[in-house]
Amino acid sequence: MKKFVAIAVEIVSAFAFVLSCTVGSASAALSVVSANTSDALTRRGYVLVQSGTFKPAVAVLKNAVQLNPNDVNARRYLSYALMQLGDYINAEGQLKAISKIGTLTAADYYLSGSINVRMGNNDRALQEYRSALQLEPEMPAARVGIIE
């Protein structure tokens, strides 16, 4: 069990790669961030998440969600930042909000699995990692996440 938790926690950084595939590079995101629109705030929040400054990212991404509650990317990045800060309940809450807006992606299921590992809900984490693999069978992070 300890091996499972250690591996799952270590691979959370792989989620940053998944996030980068959604928005693009940090430098590209920085170049377009000037207005306080939901999209601009989401890009700014993404850059902050990518740089590991999670508290400021949470503030920016909460503003983005307030401007556009249907901004799935803002909610996804907010969930990740909240998880990194140990706010697992609100991190899961963002994923639940995404599921009400549309369909969860493999990255969302992976993130939920990572949150559940940190909460000690290992059975639920395995279920979430398996859901990620159903959508994206070659997802390396989810494959590693189910190793015990």
Side-chain angles (χ1 to χ4, degrees), residues 1 3-8 11 126 129 140-148:
M1 185 62 76
K3 184 178 178 183
F4 168 78
V5 172
I7 290 172
I11 62 171
L126 284 172
Y129 289 140
R143 295 179 101 184
V144 172
I146 62 171
I147 295 173
E148 291 186 22

Side-chain angles (χ1 to χ4, degrees), residues 48-49 52-62 78 81-82 84-85:
L48 291 167
V49 165
T53 52
F54 300 113
K55 271 190 172 183
V58 166
V60 169
L61 292 164
K62 281 183 177 180
L78 178 56
L82 289 165
Q84 292 297 334
L85 293 173

Side-chain angles (χ1 to χ4, degrees), residues 31-42:
S31 67
V32 295
V33 176
S34 60
N36 280 333
T37 65
S38 175
D39 190 49
L41 290 170
T42 299

Side-chain angles (χ1 to χ4, degrees), residues 9 16 18 66-67 82 102 111 115 118 132 138 144:
V9 170
V18 174
Q66 194 170 30
L67 287 173
L82 289 165
L111 178 55
I115 292 165
R118 290 176 178 211
E138 299 302 315
V144 172

Side-chain angles (χ1 to χ4, degrees), residues 62-78:
K62 281 183 177 180
N63 286 335
V65 168
Q66 194 170 30
L67 287 173
N68 181 3
N70 293 322
D71 188 334
V72 173
N73 284 327
R75 288 187 179 278
R76 185 173 292 127
Y77 306 147
L78 178 56

Side-chain angles (χ1 to χ4, degrees), residues 93-140:
Q94 292 303 317
L95 292 174
K96 286 178 186 173
I98 291 171
S99 72
K100 290 178 183 178
I101 296 167
T103 304
L104 294 175
T105 66
D108 297 326
Y109 284 112
Y110 171 76
L111 178 55
S112 181
S114 299
I115 292 165
N116 279 284
V117 163
R118 290 176 178 211
M119 291 173 55
N121 301 331
N122 294 327
D123 290 338
R124 172 97 190 273
L126 284 172
Q127 184 180 358
E128 298 296 325
Y129 289 140
R130 287 183 181 129
S131 294
L133 289 172
Q134 285 178 348
L135 293 175
E136 199 173 311
E138 299 302 315
M139 184 179 210

